[in-house]
Every structure is written in C-alpha cells, then in structure tokens.
Amino acid sequence: MLEIKNLHVNVDGREILNGLDLTLPQGEVHAIMGPNGSGKSTLAYVLAGKEDYEVTAGSVTWNGEDLLAMVPSDRAVAGVFLAFQYPMEIPGVATMTFLRTAVNAVRKARGEAELSTPDFLRFVREKAAALKIEPDMLKRPLNVGFSGGEKKRNEILQMALLEPSLCVLDETDSGLDIDAVRIVAAGVNALRSPERAMLVITHYQRLLNYIVPDRVHVLSEGRVARSGGPELALELEETGYAEFGGEAA
Amino acid sequence: MDLPVQQFRTKAEQAYLDLFEAAENALPGARDSFVAGLRANAIETYGRLGLPHRRIEAWKYTDLRTRLTDVNPLGKGEGVAVSEAALSGALGAELANLPAYRLVIVEGDLRADLSDLAGLKAAGVEAVSLARALEKPPAWLKKALAQINPRDDDAMIALNTALMTGGVGLQIGNGVILDKPIHLIQLDGKGDPASIFTRNVVVAEPGSAATVLESFGGLGLHAPQRNAVTELRIGAEAAIKHFKVQRERDDAFHLSTWLVELGPDARYDAFQFSTGAALARNQVYLHFAGEGAAADISGAFLLRARQHCDTTLLIEHRVPHCTSRELFKAVLDGESRGVFQGKIIVSPGAQKTDGKQMAGALLLSETAEFDSKPELEIFADDVICGHGATSGQIDEDLLFYLEARGIPEEEARALLIQAFVGEALERVEDERLRDALGSASAAWLGISPSD
C-alpha cells in the first residue's frame, strides 16, 4: 500500500505540491488526472526520488517503508518503477547492456541470483515480443533514434523486466497514435496483478479507455481536489478541467 | 612565425646534448655514414631549437622547457627477463593475449626470443631490429628513415633521430594482406630511471593491408622518460589500421610522434587510447601525398590526479580529393589536464578536400581542465571542413534515469563514463581490440568487466 500524507514539495523555491493525500492499495490501479501545472509529474518524480524536488513536509510510505529516506536505486529495489514521460537517450550504451545491468542490479540487491546470459536473453526476447519490440532495437544505443512509440514500449519492457510492485506511469500516452496506445496499454494490463499497484498519470481520458482504473483522482494546485470511480474520467472528458483551475481539456 | 627567444639552455636541455655526446660513438650505426649523418644533422636541429616551450604555438599547453627538469641516462633493455605474466601485468591480459604477430621491444631492444619474426616473414613482412639494421641499413630503410613526412621544426623528433637506440623496421610486401595484427609491445625495463628513444619505421607497399598495434607498458622502471617515433608510409591503395594503447606508470614521461604519409587511394584508420603517464604528448603528423586517400584518427584518454595528456594533430591536405576525420574523447578527473590541438591545412589546389574533427571532454571534477584548440588553414575554395568541441559534466538527468532503474549511483556514473568513451571506441572495428579497450576503460574506472 502506498500512503502519501500531507505532501508538500518545492521545486526551485516554488511550492508545487501543497498538502497532497493519497492512498493506493496493493492490486489497484489509480489514475491521476489534472490540468497542466497541477503537480502530476512532480508527484511522479518525487516518488522516484529525483534530486531538486525538495520535500518540505509530509510523508510517503510504501508497504510501511519510508520512501523519501531512500536513494533512487534503493526505491527501484523496493519495487518502485517510474515510466518516464520523456525517456532519456544514452548514446554509447546498448539497450540490451542497459537492461541487463538494471535487471541484475535489482536482482542482486533483492538477494536474488543474477540471470545467466542465455536465461536473460530468453527473458528479454519473450517480454519484447509481447510488446512488438524488434530484437534489432535492443542492439541500438538506448532510446537513440527511437520513435516516440518505441521509447514508450521500451519503458514498459523495462517495467516488465524489473517486476516492480508499484508502477508509476507518467503521461505514457503522450505523443502516441492510437495503435501505439493500444500496444502500450496491453503491455500495462498484462502486468496488472493483486501484488502490484499502479498510478497512471494522464492529462487525457483516452488512455483510461484501455487501462481502466479502480479510482480516479483529480489534482488541482498541488493536492487532490476530487476522487471518484472510473466515471469521473468520463465526466472530465465532457466538462474539462475548468472547475479545477485549468482550461478545458 | 615563432621567433627564437631562447636565451640560455636549461639543465635538461643541456643534459640531452651531453647524453648525445657521451653516447655518440656507441649508438647503433655510429660507423655508418648515412646513419651518423642523420644523427649529426638531428642533434644540430635540436641544439638550434632547444626544448619546446609555451611560446611555440604547437606547445602552448605543454611547456617541456618548464616541465622537464631532469633527464634520465639512456636505457638499455638487454637481458631484462620478460614473462607472460609480466606482459599481462603491463598491458592487461586481454591485450597481451590478443592473437597477433607479436614483436616485443624492451627499451628499444627487439627481443627475438619473444617475437614472431619467422611468422611475419612467412606472411610477407620483412621485420628487422632497428638497432641491428642501423649498423648497415638496407636500401628500403635508407629511403624511409627520417624521410617520411619529415619535419625540421620539431625538436623532440630531432632528439629521437639523434638518440634512437632501437625499435623495428617493417616492410609489408606488395599486395600482402595480413590475417592478424602486428603487435608492437614496447616496454620499459626495470630498476633505475632511463631515457628510452625508440624508432619504428613501417613501409606498407602498394595494395597491402595490415593492422599495426603499438602498446606501451611498464615492467617496473621508475619514472621512465620515453620518446617514441613511428614513421609510416602507406603506398597506393594500401590500407593500414594503426592503434596505440598507452598504459604506462603514473610517473612516466611519454612522448610519442607518428609521422604518416598516404599514397593515392590509401586508407588509414588510427586510434589512440591512453590512461597512463604523468605527462603524455601524442603527436600525429599526417600528409596526403596522393589523391583519393582517406584517414581517420581518433582516440580516447582517461586521466586523473595530476596527469597531463596532450594530443596534437597536424593533417596536411596537399592534394585534391582526400578525406580526413578525427574524433577524440577525454575523461578528466582530479586535477588532470587534457589538451587537444587539431590543425588541418588545405593547400592551394587541394580541392574537394573533406576534413572534419571533433573533440569532447567529460569533466568529473571541478579542478580538471580541458583545452581544445582546433585550427583550420584553408587555401583552396572548394572544400568541406569543420570542427567542433564540447566540454561538460555528467548529465544529472541521465544519471537519475539509470538510478531509477535500480543501478546504484557509482555504477551508473561508471556506465555513463564508459558510454562517453564508447562513442569513440566505436571507431575501432576489430571487436577483440575494441573489447580490450573497453576493459581497459573499465579497469581505469575501477570496475571489473562484465562477462
């Protein structure tokens, strides 16, 4: 269970999160919606542990552990996974090398045996095929020259390989055409399980047609302004974010 | 034009003259008039120029007049025992064991017992000990020695010619295509500090193809001072890959010069990798002597503490339709200083020249310094030439991305440094050699290579 209590976060001296409360039980998928500037991406980065995001008050615990006290790599080991809105390009690091380094780092830290090369390759190929990722893509430098869709599929591949228990998806649908949204959503849905909680951050309701959430929370000015069932997303599609201090969606 | 401003000789400057005077009659080829003539001419050039200093533009960042205070006596590598374990220790096991025609040179002494001279001969390469050949130079050597892209404005090359004690001469026969690299393993000896002047002369006859790998390491000599020159003439349509790996002791002085001449439609791919020495200067002088040739000179150097490494290139396009490329990457930690000077000269009439160079540095500390000085001198009007330089620190966003995937910070940093170097290493086509250089980078970073 993810428990966020009274979270206040400053970025460059400006308060972006302003007393945010959120509870996400194991096995559930919650959507975070809201107008631009409401603090959605800040929440994602704070959960993953990015520097320069100063927590001035509040707490975040994951299964009772204090997430805020951990460095980013320890959060990953504890099960937190952030699918980036803008995945980084790293020339000089082959995608496969990166995947293997990450998987083995996490396995090692979790006290599991590192995967042998053949076992790892089998593991990756199987997960990659499900996401329609060509083997050739894995030989290329990480995300370099990848299309928007390829980058997002690569994020979901990493999510599948690292087997996290808390998945945070930051605007995973942005910049994707409808076919790409379907592939990515299918990849995410395949990972839904009673042991896994997901936070799906999105500006638009479209993604939620494919990843149907248990709960929807609307952020406004750095806190949860309203919560409801999946129907809340549909309602926002009609009315826009005007009542939450944003422009029409 | 640099004006002579020398007023007096420094101690080190004089010491080299004394070294020559004391050794002159015992140097190889002392009784051969051709060799003795070369040496006499060279020491005169050195005496006229003196040690290079910062007011000479090409030595702006590496002032030898100030930095060289003491000169070691001449080294003699004879009789130093070299085991396989010592080779692995000096170069790293991967490099030492690279399948190759090995030629082992200890302080200039070509060790026949450790070298595959017979294998080279069978493959069509004439390989001779330079020390021996200087006594009575064969005709082909007489046409090459000190005559490949010669310079009369470089005191350190002149000093090498005056004092060269050994090395190898290689003549790669017409049309000979070698199945594996020639590995010139150049070691310093053991014990007392020494000055080492080695000279290699490589003549690749037309249509030949070969890889020449020069590696430098130490057997335990204290503060060795090395001045190594390799002359390389690449004949028409010949293709030479030329590598250098320098992993000398952190108290070594390492000066290396490559003098390269490319014939028509020749191909030259060079890569220099350097992690060692307190002070290193890598010079490459290359000129295109025939149309349609192409050269790529790239490299990487990784420095820490107070190491200083200077890479200075001079590429001369004297004829039309030639292509040159350079890509150098520097990783600088501690108070180290990296220098890159790349000069491209395009002569009048060298139309359709295509020359590009790029240098980048990754600074790992606040106190490291990178000086990059590209220079283009273009006297033709139909050319494409360009240069670029970058200098920066590790990208925090990239670091966070890796950490967010569970890779601990130290490991993530090392991966990003390797990635930075990797962009240059990609120029090395030979997979085994590229892997060996990757491992050398990893060793520098203090991480064990992945299986």
Side-chain angles (χ1 to χ4, degrees):
Chain A
M1 175 139 74
L2 175 71
E3 283 189 289
I4 304 174
K5 286 183 185 154
N6 188 34
L7 187 63
H8 289 255
V9 174
N10 283 4
V11 182
D12 292 332
R14 262 186 62 217
E15 187 163 68
I16 305 293
L17 296 186
N18 172 28
L20 186 138
D21 292 292
L22 186 75
T23 301
L24 170 61
Q26 207 87 326
E28 290 194 9
V29 174
H30 288 199
I32 302 283
M33 302 185 72
N36 291 328
S38 59
K40 302 190 300 287
S41 283
T42 298
L43 175 61
Y45 279 137
V46 168
L47 292 175
K50 193 167 173 28
E51 262 183 55
D52 309 329
Y53 287 73
E54 191 198 350
V55 177
T56 54
S59 66
V60 179
T61 59
W62 172 239
N63 295 336
E65 284 190 272
D66 179 7
L67 264 193
L68 299 179
M70 297 182 200
V71 298
S73 58
D74 287 343
R75 298 186 195 202
V77 172
V80 178
F81 182 93
L82 168 63
F84 282 64
Q85 181 177 6
Y86 303 109
M88 294 292 150
E89 298 185 5
I90 309 189
V93 177
T95 304
M96 195 60 115
T97 306
F98 160 75
L99 294 175
R100 195 157 145 216
T101 307
V103 167
N104 280 335
V106 166
R107 290 183 70 95
K108 198 171 147 194
R110 287 178 186 161
E112 299 164 17
E114 293 186 18
L115 290 177
S116 69
T117 304
D119 284 348
F120 177 76
L121 290 177
R122 216 170 297 130
F123 185 41
V124 173
R125 284 200 191 108
E126 181 198 320
K127 304 283 185 192
L131 286 159
K132 299 190 167 46
I133 291 174
E134 301 293 329
D136 192 50
M137 204 173 110
L138 301 174
K139 290 181 192 156
R140 282 150 55 190
L142 183 60
N143 290 328
V144 177
F146 285 25
S147 70
E150 285 174 327
K151 283 181 184 173
K152 295 297 172 73
R153 275 184 276 153
N154 195 14
E155 291 293 290
I156 304 306
L157 173 64
Q158 292 164 41
M159 194 162 103
L161 294 174
L162 292 172
E163 299 175 330
S165 47
L166 172 61
C167 304
V168 181
L169 289 86
D170 187 11
E171 307 270 6
T172 293
D173 54 330
S174 68
L176 297 190
D177 63 31
I178 197 67
D179 292 330
V181 169
R182 279 200 188 103
I183 296 170
V184 166
V188 173
N189 286 329
L191 292 169
R192 287 179 85 148
S193 95
E195 286 83 43
R196 195 167 276 145
M198 292 189 182
L199 210 53
V200 179
I201 295 170
T202 182
H203 187 81
Y204 301 105
Q205 184 272 339
R206 180 179 73 161
L207 181 65
L208 305 181
N209 289 335
Y210 301 96
I211 305 173
V212 179
D214 298 299
R215 301 277 294 163
V216 174
H217 308 279
V218 184
L219 288 200
S220 173
E221 292 173 356
R223 70 180 86 175
V224 175
R226 202 173 146 194
S227 297
E231 69 286 352
L232 177 55
L234 292 168
E235 185 190 321
L236 286 169
E237 181 80 353
E238 294 293 318
T239 61
Y241 291 119
E243 68 168 294
F244 301 102
E247 292 164 21
Chain B
M1 185 76 203
D2 297 301
L3 296 171
V5 287
Q6 215 99 329
Q7 300 297 318
F8 62 94
R9 292 198 190 285
T10 65
K11 183 179 150 205
E13 223 158 40
Q14 183 61 43
Y16 279 124
L17 291 169
D18 296 344
L19 216 56
F20 179 76
E21 202 178 307
E24 190 178 359
N25 294 320
L27 288 169
R31 272 159 299 280
D32 181 89
S33 61
F34 170 76
V35 175
L38 281 183
R39 290 193 194 275
N41 192 27
I43 199 70
E44 199 234 77
T45 301
Y46 165 76
R48 177 168 50 82
L49 296 170
L51 284 174
H53 51 79
R54 66 179 192 281
R55 287 186 300 275
I56 295 172
E57 191 58 29
W59 293 83
K60 186 174 174 179
Y61 303 103
T62 304
D63 188 334
L64 289 191
R65 203 159 185 258
T66 309
R67 296 199 55 150
L68 254 185
T69 50
D70 292 292
V71 171
N72 295 337
L74 275 186
K76 292 183 174 56
E78 290 142 7
V80 175
V82 182
S83 64
E84 285 297 326
L87 283 180
S88 291
L91 304 175
E94 264 175 283
L95 195 60
N97 298 324
L98 200 75
Y101 298 104
R102 262 191 353 196
L103 298 174
V104 177
I105 302 153
V106 184
E107 291 188 12
D109 185 35
L110 175 67
R111 298 286 294 269
D113 55 324
L114 301 167
S115 300
D116 190 6
L117 291 165
L120 273 175
K121 194 163 183 68
V125 179
E126 183 74 24
V128 297
S129 152
L130 197 82
R132 196 164 304 165
L134 286 175
E135 301 294 354
K136 199 176 181 312
W140 71 267
L141 188 61
K142 272 189 167 177
K143 281 194 281 183
L145 185 62
Q147 289 161 82
I148 300 177
N149 199 5
R151 304 203 66 86
D152 58 9
D153 61 349
D154 188 311
M156 301 318 280
I157 300 173
L159 207 48
N160 182 283
T161 304
L163 285 161
M164 57 190 169
T165 56
V168 294
L170 295 171
Q171 190 189 27
I172 303 165
N174 209 312
V176 167
I177 293 169
L178 285 188
D179 55 336
K180 54 185 179 179
I182 301 171
H183 188 180
L184 304 179
I185 299 177
Q186 297 165 85
L187 303 169
D188 56 47
K190 287 178 180 164
D192 293 336
S195 286
I196 306 163
F197 293 89
T198 50
R199 183 76 158 234
N200 300 315
V201 180
V202 182
V203 176
E205 299 287 356
S208 62
T211 295
V212 178
L213 162 63
E214 298 193 49
S215 59
F216 293 88
L219 294 174
L221 187 75
H222 293 293
Q225 295 176 334
R226 182 186 286 281
N227 178 331
V229 172
T230 295
E231 297 182 70
L232 173 57
R233 176 175 285 147
I234 307 176
E237 293 175 29
I240 296 295
K241 294 187 197 303
H242 193 188
F243 300 103
K244 176 180 165 181
V245 182
Q246 190 267 105
R247 300 184 72 179
E248 294 193 315
R249 293 167 57 100
D250 283 355
D251 60 1
F253 167 81
H254 179 98
L255 176 68
S256 143
T257 307
W258 286 358
L259 296 159
V260 186
E261 176 191 297
L262 265 80
D265 297 312
R267 172 89 217 171
Y268 180 60
D269 291 287
F271 194 90
Q272 301 195 330
F273 179 86
S274 182
T275 58
L279 187 153
R281 160 109 167 173
N282 301 311
Q283 315 192 94
V284 180
Y285 293 99
L286 178 144
H287 87 91
F288 291 99
E291 294 187 22
D296 184 324
I297 305 170
S298 296
F301 45 99
L302 297 84
L303 311 178
R304 59 163 57 98
R306 297 179 62 84
Q307 283 180 292
H308 176 112
C309 181
D310 172 337
T311 294
T312 295
L313 314 176
L314 177 61
I315 314 294
E316 292 180 85
H317 286 266
R318 297 181 190 165
V319 294
H321 295 287
C322 291
T323 303
S324 62
R325 292 283 180 276
E326 293 103 48
L327 171 68
F328 274 81
K329 295 267 183 175
V331 177
L332 307 170
D333 200 357
E335 295 170 65
S336 66
R337 188 174 192 191
V339 177
F340 176 82
Q341 303 185 105
K343 187 169 182 174
I344 300 174
I345 302 177
V346 182
S347 301
Q351 303 294 9
K352 305 290 181 191
T353 286
D354 178 355
K356 286 189 187 71
Q357 62 171 249
M358 177 59 101
L362 184 62
L363 302 170
L364 303 182
S365 79
E366 298 284 325
T367 45
E369 180 177 330
F370 183 58
D371 299 291
S372 176
K373 185 167 58 121
E375 289 175 275
L376 301 176
E377 288 184 10
I378 301 171
F379 302 100
D381 54 13
D382 185 12
V383 303
I384 304 168
C385 280
H387 62 77
T390 61
S391 177
Q393 292 164 325
I394 284 189
D395 186 322
E396 294 294 328
D397 288 335
L398 299 187
L399 195 62
F400 174 64
Y401 188 61
L402 296 177
E403 290 181 77
R405 294 299 175 254
I407 302 170
E409 184 185 347
E410 279 304 296
E411 205 181 323
R413 278 184 191 280
L415 193 62
L416 290 175
I417 296 166
Q418 281 184 296
F420 177 80
V421 174
E423 280 186 86
L425 290 184
E426 279 168 19
R427 301 272 177 125
V428 178
E429 279 176 31
D430 184 305
E431 199 173 333
R432 294 188 70 138
L433 184 56
R434 192 172 61 236
D435 288 348
L437 296 181
S439 298
S441 309
W444 184 87
L445 288 162
I447 52 177
S448 55
S450 58
D451 55 325

